[in-house]
Amino acid sequence: MAPETIEPTAPPLRAPSPPPTDRPLHTLPAPFTSSNLEVLTQGAEALVYKSVFLTPHTPCVVKYRPPKPYRHPVLDRRLTKARLLAEARVLVRCKRDGVDVPGVLGADWEGGWLVLEWVEGKTVRGVLDGWAERGAGEKEGILGLMERVGLAVGRLHEIGVCHGDLTTSNLMVRVPEKKAEVQEQNDELEGDIVLIDFGLASHSTQNLQDEDRAVDLYVLERAFAATHPKAEPLFKDVLSAYGESFKGARAVLKKLEDVRLRGRKRSMLG
Amino acid sequence: MIALGLEGSANKIGIGIISHAPSKPPVILANLRHTYNSPPGEGFLPKDTALHHRAWVVRLIKQAIRQARITIPDIDCICYTKGPGMGAPLQSVALAARTCALLWDKPLVGVNHCVGHIEMGRSITGAENPVVLYVSGGNTQVIAYSANRYRIFGETLDIAIGNCIDRFARTLMIPNDPFPGYNVEQLAKKGRHFVELPYAVKGMDASFSGILAAADVLAKGLDESLPEEKRLRTEEGELVTREDLCFSLQETIYAMLVEITERAMAHVGSKQVLVVGGVGSNERLQQMMGMMARDRGGSVFATDERFCIDNGIMIAHAGLLEFQTGVATKLEDSTCTQRFRTDEVYVGWRE
Ligand SMILES: Nc1ncnc2c1ncn2[C@@H]1O[C@H](COP(=O)(O)OP(=O)(O)OP(=O)(O)O)[C@@H](O)[C@H]1O
Ligand SMILES: Nc1ncnc2c1ncn2[C@@H]1O[C@H](COP(=O)(O)OP(=O)(O)OP(=O)(O)O)[C@@H](O)[C@H]1O
Ligand SMILES: [Mg+2]
Ligand SMILES: [Mg+2]
């Protein structure tokens, strides 16, 4: 028979009490300190603010990479500088070669900030969440969106850029210009795909390996699978559009199969 | 309900007994463990580890039942680690589980080791829906729950973080007892100079083999028998010590872990982090994770060594959760598997 009172042999553990949440928001370096900026999001690396550039009607984004207090200062400076420079360089390159990205309006790697063109719209992640909530219907609209994602990634790879962090949070859907005013919910699936967040990107003209491209696709595939169970089956439409997007795309899809297999093996190991 | 849990996927054998009652927190009745340690500079072999587990399993089960002050009829099910892990040790413990099940006529539940870590961590810390960082000798995964699965957002692209630390410790002849990672941590506390190592993060994935290779090369420069001018020095010309290397290794690899975790949090919009697995007991990692979470207005949940390191309780706990949804493992299905993905498990006990 079980004893009347069960005494734990290990003392119960308490969760640490959550630290105060009114953290001091990072103060931006000059020339932004005094300006009135609106925090948009806090990504993993950066705080993203909305502001205006030159005229009060030209919105822009200030992407500020604050020092990370958890990181050793030497490592912190090295990473911030490398990523900011990578991002600025790749954005300029994409713009030049006709990939839809926000243009670079200003940068200061000592200060840790970049000023970028504003993209009016939502992230693909946000759009997919909305779509799933509305019941995951709208077949035509969603297929069109997946196709445009595939083509956009294909174009990026074609010019020799590897994104390095290709998730649904780093793809935006730009609100079609004329519709911006009368935007209805179901129009969310319309609009051009804009690629953002190039801090982990790399560029090379000759030896961008299919391997790197395939890893980009693999990362995106897992982002689909992990965040949007309902959107998971849609990824094949992204891939089929990608396969048609440039000359070497088929070879990349072939490589993707290897990368997947490797990934599956790895995460099964004990 | 009461479950007996048997864990032996790596070099530790753990026996745990847990009791679940409706709308009450689980009660831990016994949590015993014995570790097979190899001499400094060596890793553990599957064959020897399995022998160790076989030698200890009966003793530990008897002691656990005594300690829990229960009798065999009180036990509702027997939970064992199905995988992932090392083949021979897994099998030796599964055999013990099957034997008990037949002997005492109890149902069996095969448990995914990673899910065991996650459920134990959630239960002990009270973290409801956190992003989970699972870091151990064999695994490095960033996980979040969605639609009845623990989904893997990020992972290592090559070796596991604990494996990286343990192999580094072996190079520096740092003892394995109690844990190589623990001993590296103690040395790191005395380190003063930061030596740069490769930093390899790709989105929510990370790679550790390059760092290990670089650290191994640097370690050669510590040799005191080298001529003065060949020894490793900082930019300021001071000699680099073992402590400095441990410090630099920790600062680099834990920063990588915090970064991939933060990226997953930003992506799923979560403010809670739960750190599980043996490496999760590292205080510096917990501290860094805490600073990151605080900056996001959230919090970090971590447990101590008793529950971070492989144990039988977590297997009993996760197994009992599944058993209560009406799932058990038939005797003929009670095999083990070295490879067993976290997201293969249908999590029927969560919304
Ligand atoms: N040019 C832009 N126009 C409008 N919104 C933007 C722009 N750039 C970024 N954003 C918004 O800010 C968010 C974070 O930006 P970004 O991905 O560049 O930051 P990050 O900190 O590098 O993120 P990550 O966590 O992926 O590393 C984006 O998901 C998007 O919602
Ligand atoms: N304080 C510490 N700091 C860093 N690492 C630690 C610490 N304590 C233990 N470890 C490491 O934790 C690992 C063991 O953890 P655990 O028992 O969870 O894993 P495992 O059994 O090797 O792998 P798995 O859980 O994947 O089966 C070892 O690599 C050990 O060095
Ligand atoms: Mg981003
Ligand atoms: Mg473990």
Side-chain angles (χ1 to χ4, degrees):
Chain A
M1 235 199 56
E4 299 282 299
T5 50
I6 295 175
E7 276 180 44
T9 47
L13 289 173
R14 289 266 168 283
S17 53
T21 46
D22 50 330
R23 70 207 135 93
L25 257 182
H26 296 274
T27 30
L28 274 162
F32 301 102
T33 353
S34 56
S35 36
N36 207 355
L37 299 162
E38 179 191 337
V39 189
L40 273 181
T41 62
Q42 184 177 14
E45 285 184 60
L47 289 156
V48 176
Y49 299 83
K50 185 177 185 179
S51 184
V52 289
F53 187 70
L54 298 179
T55 82
H57 310 292
T58 318
C60 73
V61 148
V62 179
K63 181 168 178 176
Y64 171 51
R65 291 178 160 87
K68 294 280 189 188
Y70 70 79
R71 246 178 347 219
H72 191 279
V74 172
L75 179 62
D76 190 55
R77 277 194 298 275
R78 174 180 127 202
L79 291 176
T80 303
K81 179 179 170 187
R83 286 166 180 190
L84 198 142
L85 290 180
E87 179 154 35
R89 282 194 193 117
V90 171
L91 283 172
V92 169
R93 160 88 47 175
C94 286
K95 201 79 184 174
R96 202 192 67 192
D97 291 350
V99 178
D100 203 345
V101 297
V104 180
L105 303 174
D108 174 2
W109 65 260
E110 294 281 358
W113 54 263
L114 269 175
V115 179
L116 306 172
E117 281 171 0
W118 172 255
V119 179
E120 186 65 46
K122 282 191 179 177
T123 62
V124 167
R125 191 198 138 93
V127 170
L128 284 175
D129 280 348
W131 167 79
E133 258 166 46
R134 291 195 302 274
E138 303 153 70
K139 213 157 179 218
E140 221 167 277
I142 198 75
L143 286 185
L145 181 70
M146 293 304 109
E147 193 180 314
R148 293 198 303 286
V149 169
L151 293 178
V153 176
R155 181 71 192 125
L156 183 76
H157 283 175
E158 190 177 6
I159 68 160
V161 173
C162 213
H163 187 283
D165 184 20
L166 200 57
T167 62
T168 45
S169 299
N170 291 336
L171 293 164
M172 292 188 72
V173 186
R174 178 184 275 126
V175 177
E177 209 137 289
K178 52 186 187 320
K179 287 189 184 162
E181 296 296 304
V182 288
Q183 174 79 5
E184 277 179 36
Q185 240 192 355
N186 294 19
D187 287 347
E188 264 187 24
L189 304 179
E190 305 298 320
D192 296 333
I193 302 296
V194 186
L195 294 137
I196 61 164
D197 194 3
F198 285 87
L200 299 174
S202 55
H203 172 267
S204 63
T205 31
Q206 269 113 57
N207 42 5
L208 181 63
Q209 302 292 326
D210 283 349
E211 164 82 19
D212 296 332
R213 294 178 168 125
V215 169
D216 255 0
L217 293 179
Y218 180 60
V219 169
L220 186 60
E221 177 169 58
R222 280 192 330 200
F224 265 76
T227 357
H228 321 283
K230 282 190 186 146
E232 191 171 354
L234 295 172
F235 192 69
K236 62 175 187 325
D237 301 306
V238 174
L239 289 184
S240 59
Y242 178 89
E244 302 300 320
S245 63
F246 69 106
K247 226 176 93 222
R250 289 291 170 84
V252 179
L253 292 183
K254 197 101 206 91
K255 194 83 198 170
L256 176 61
E257 287 169 24
D258 297 348
V259 175
R260 274 187 194 132
L261 209 65
R262 236 188 298 145
R264 206 159 297 140
K265 281 199 187 130
R266 198 172 39 236
S267 44
M268 281 188 296
L269 275 174
Chain B
M1 280 209 210
I2 291 181
L4 171 71
L6 286 74
E7 149 66 30
S9 61
N11 65 333
K12 292 160 275 316
I13 177 158
I15 305 295
I17 301 178
I18 202 162
S19 152
H20 286 187
S23 64
K24 277 202 200 124
V27 181
I28 294 160
L29 301 176
N31 187 15
L32 301 175
R33 175 172 54 218
H34 198 271
T35 305
Y36 170 65
N37 275 319
S38 40
E42 283 175 36
F44 48 89
L45 294 172
K47 182 170 65 80
D48 301 337
T49 313
L51 256 168
H52 166 267
H53 291 0
R54 281 208 292 276
W56 278 88
V57 67
V58 174
R59 241 181 294 180
L60 288 176
I61 292 177
K62 278 188 178 162
Q63 197 185 331
I65 290 176
R66 242 193 336 267
Q67 192 178 347
R69 279 179 261 137
I70 57 164
T71 57
I72 286 157
D74 300 327
I75 298 173
D76 292 282
C77 62
I78 294 173
C79 313
Y80 74 98
T81 309
K82 189 173 177 64
M86 298 198 316
L90 276 173
Q91 279 157 18
S92 63
V93 174
L95 185 83
R98 277 195 295 269
T99 308
C100 292
L102 286 174
L103 209 59
W104 303 334
D105 192 23
K106 306 280 181 196
L108 275 169
V109 185
V111 176
N112 179 298
H113 180 91
C114 313
V115 172
H117 271 300
I118 297 172
E119 288 305 345
M120 199 62 220
R122 284 208 318 132
S123 161
I124 280 185
T125 62
E128 283 213 348
N129 189 22
V131 165
V132 181
L133 176 69
Y134 173 26
V135 276
S136 66
N139 285 282
T140 311
Q141 297 179 348
V142 183
I143 298 162
Y145 174 82
S146 142
N148 296 105
R149 306 241 173 227
Y150 285 113
R151 294 173 195 272
I152 302 167
F153 277 67
E155 61 192 322
T156 173
L157 293 167
D158 37 57
I159 57 172
I161 175 115
N163 191 248
C164 173
I165 299 171
D166 294 358
R167 280 160 67 178
F168 171 79
R170 241 175 277 159
T171 307
L172 289 188
M173 294 302 268
I174 293 168
N176 290 330
D177 185 31
F179 301 103
Y182 176 84
N183 293 330
V184 169
E185 177 176 13
Q186 304 318 311
L187 287 172
K189 284 180 184 163
K190 297 188 213 112
R192 286 182 303 122
H193 303 296
F194 179 72
V195 186
E196 293 209 30
L197 290 167
Y199 184 97
V201 159
K202 294 190 177 161
M204 297 184 225
D205 297 330
S207 148
F208 299 100
S209 60
I211 296 170
L212 183 61
D216 282 355
V217 170
L218 292 176
K220 292 211 175 69
L222 300 187
D223 191 345
E224 284 169 21
S225 62
L226 283 175
E228 276 294 305
E229 69 280 5
K230 291 226 167 120
R231 289 177 67 181
L232 186 64
R233 286 172 191 279
T234 63
E235 275 175 27
E236 294 76 37
E238 288 186 64
L239 282 176
V240 173
T241 62
R242 256 153 63 105
E243 287 79 4
D244 292 338
L245 271 196
C246 290
F247 171 69
S248 308
L249 180 84
Q250 285 212 124
E251 289 302 308
T252 307
I253 59 182
Y254 294 152
M256 289 166 58
L257 291 181
V258 175
E259 179 177 357
I260 60 175
T261 308
E262 181 166 21
R263 191 159 284 122
M265 287 167 77
H267 186 69
V268 303
S270 165
K271 284 189 169 27
Q272 294 182 327
V273 206
L274 170 65
V275 189
V276 300
V279 181
S281 52
N282 187 282
E283 287 172 18
R284 176 64 180 142
L285 173 61
Q286 291 183 7
Q287 181 193 38
M288 289 165 77
M289 204 58 93
M291 288 192 229
M292 179 275 283
R294 191 200 53 215
D295 263 13
R296 305 193 67 83
S299 44
V300 60
F301 297 89
T303 60
D304 65 14
E305 180 273 329
R306 277 170 304 164
F307 299 99
C308 257
I309 302 280
D310 288 351
N311 60 78
I313 274 293
M314 68 188 208
I315 301 302
H317 178 60
L320 193 49
L321 286 175
E322 180 154 20
F323 186 66
Q324 282 159 330
T325 67
V327 179
T329 307
K330 287 210 246 23
L331 186 69
E332 56 268 35
D333 298 334
S334 64
T335 50
C336 353
T337 160
Q338 282 176 268
R339 300 167 186 282
F340 188 2
R341 284 174 64 86
T342 312
D343 54 9
E344 266 176 64
V345 179
Y346 180 81
V347 181
W349 55 91
R350 280 188 71 173
E351 284 287 295

